[in-house]
Amino acid sequence: MSRDKLSYSFEFSAPRDDEAIAKVKKVHARLGELSPHFYSVTYGAGGSTKDGTKQTVIDLNNLGTPVAAHISFGTDGPDLIRGLLHEYKEAGVTRLVALRGDIPSGVSGKGLPHANELVEFIRHETGDHFHIDVAAYPEFHPETRHVDDEIRYFKMKVDAGANSAITQYFYNADAYFRFMDRCNAAGVDVPVFPGIMPITNYDGIVRFSKICGAEIPQWIEKTLRNYKEDPASLKAFGDDVVTQMCERLIDGGAPGLHFYTLNQSAPTLRIWNKLGL
Ligand code: FAD
């Protein structure tokens, strides 16, 4: 398929205050020049970003291009989530990213409802109103105990009514292709959009990758470490590595790309331009 026909989307982190809201709006305007298919805004289940998510989703969605609200039960009960779903529906929001989320640190309690239960709940409450994305993990979710569970549970989310999926970020295209082979073998045929994390700083990417279970191949990690005090070289190397991986993903049949912008336009724009999109 021609590159121009693929789906491109940009994710924002839920803003916590007015300054952050203004920043997201600025980045949204800048990335809007690329005519993405949709944007999405993360949701801090149980935390302070819930209102920031809702207001940002509704405000940006009113500007035209669809904005997906990330949503999870977290530690909330069905009444609160039901209310939120109906607020989104009434405000004209048509897309959701349905997640289990994680228990916030310092909060104890039993496990959270899994994403397949949330997808079921959304379909029960609002029928086919929303296009629902779910998360996928080509390098496995950190809690996954057996490789076969990853596809089994992913299939449960799709069977519950998810339309498509966005992956956790990775820096090894083979993990994505292998994951897609396993989806095909299991009869899971929804589009799975690779999540793309630009590399802009060494400490941040190493720390976050450890938490979410994304592997940084050794040759990339060592090169980034060498460029730790040389931001220009780090940026150039990071852009090259991520762009080449995007090329491979597109050439290998990925249906599009979902960029984790971390509320910055420049890294995504650089990769976009290098890809010649
Ligand atoms: P699930 O699909 O429920 O899976 C979690 C784990 O449980 C996996 O190991 C899975 O194999 C297993 N599992 C799944 N279903 C079952 C079942 N029915 N029974 C037993 N085990 C099961 N976090 C946020 O807090 N806010 C966000 O906005 C956010 N956005 C994200 C966007 C994307 C694209 C991705 C990839 C992740 C995002 N996350 C976000 C992180 C996510 O919340 C965490 O990775 C979380 O730990 C798992 O959420 P999930 O929806 O993948 O969970």
Side-chain angles (χ1 to χ4, degrees):
M1 196 192 290
S2 142
R3 286 185 176 193
D4 295 341
K5 298 216 162 57
L6 301 180
S7 165
Y8 301 101
S9 48
F10 302 130
E11 180 171 314
F12 300 129
S13 308
R16 287 172 195 273
D17 53 31
D18 289 349
E19 196 184 330
I21 291 174
K23 171 101 193 284
V24 167
K25 288 187 175 162
K26 208 165 141 197
V27 175
H28 173 269
R30 186 77 187 87
L31 293 178
E33 292 165 20
L34 311 181
S35 305
H37 198 64
F38 71 96
Y39 302 90
S40 79
V41 182
T42 66
Y43 183 75
S48 56
T49 67
K50 278 182 191 169
D51 291 343
T53 303
K54 185 169 74 180
Q55 206 46 54
T56 308
V57 167
I58 292 174
D59 288 353
L60 297 183
N61 193 65
N62 283 338
L63 298 177
T65 304
V67 181
H70 292 214
I71 188 166
S72 60
F73 276 116
T75 50
D76 293 326
D79 287 347
L80 201 142
I81 299 304
R82 184 180 295 114
L84 189 54
L85 289 174
H86 288 287
E87 273 186 84
Y88 279 138
K89 189 174 169 190
E90 276 152 34
V93 175
T94 56
R95 296 190 71 119
L96 298 171
V97 181
L99 302 145
R100 181 198 70 175
D102 294 303
I103 295 179
S105 54
V107 175
S108 60
K110 60 183 182 61
L112 302 174
H114 283 288
N116 64 294
E117 297 167 65
L118 177 59
V119 175
E120 251 170 54
F121 182 81
I122 297 168
R123 288 291 177 231
H124 179 261
E125 291 296 325
T126 54
D128 286 336
H129 175 78
F130 291 106
H131 177 111
I132 305 178
D133 270 299
V134 288
Y137 299 87
E139 295 183 322
F140 309 109
H141 184 273
E143 291 164 35
T144 298
R145 286 171 189 216
H146 191 285
V147 289
D148 292 341
D149 288 345
E150 200 63 60
I151 300 295
R152 188 156 66 87
Y153 291 129
F154 179 54
K155 186 173 184 328
M156 281 168 68
K157 300 197 261 196
V158 173
D159 290 346
N163 302 96
S164 49
I166 301 168
T167 74
Q168 182 57 275
Y169 72 85
F170 52 84
Y171 295 110
N172 180 351
D174 289 327
Y176 173 82
F177 293 128
R178 180 55 70 106
F179 182 78
M180 294 314 298
D181 288 346
R182 291 165 64 88
C183 284
N184 289 338
V188 184
D189 59 0
V190 295
V192 178
F193 296 93
I196 305 300
M197 181 70 87
I199 301 174
T200 55
N201 105 15
Y202 175 81
D203 290 328
I205 201 72
V206 168
R207 191 178 55 245
F208 194 52
S209 299
K210 274 204 183 104
I211 296 170
C212 68
E215 185 206 15
I216 308 180
Q218 200 172 176
W219 67 276
I220 298 180
E221 193 274 332
K222 282 195 170 164
T223 312
L224 292 172
R225 199 182 334 148
N226 281 182
Y227 289 149
K228 222 173 143 177
E229 310 303 332
D230 176 2
S233 299
L234 187 142
K235 205 160 70 176
F237 174 73
D239 288 353
D240 271 354
V241 164
V242 176
T243 304
Q244 279 166 21
M245 184 183 70
C246 291
E247 300 266 8
R248 268 200 76 199
L249 291 167
I250 291 173
D251 292 347
L257 301 170
H258 178 84
F259 287 88
Y260 294 106
T261 72
L262 304 182
N263 301 349
Q264 294 180 14
S265 57
T268 297
L269 279 166
R270 287 198 305 270
I271 295 166
W272 184 273
N273 290 331
K274 280 170 88 70
L275 284 168
L277 294 171

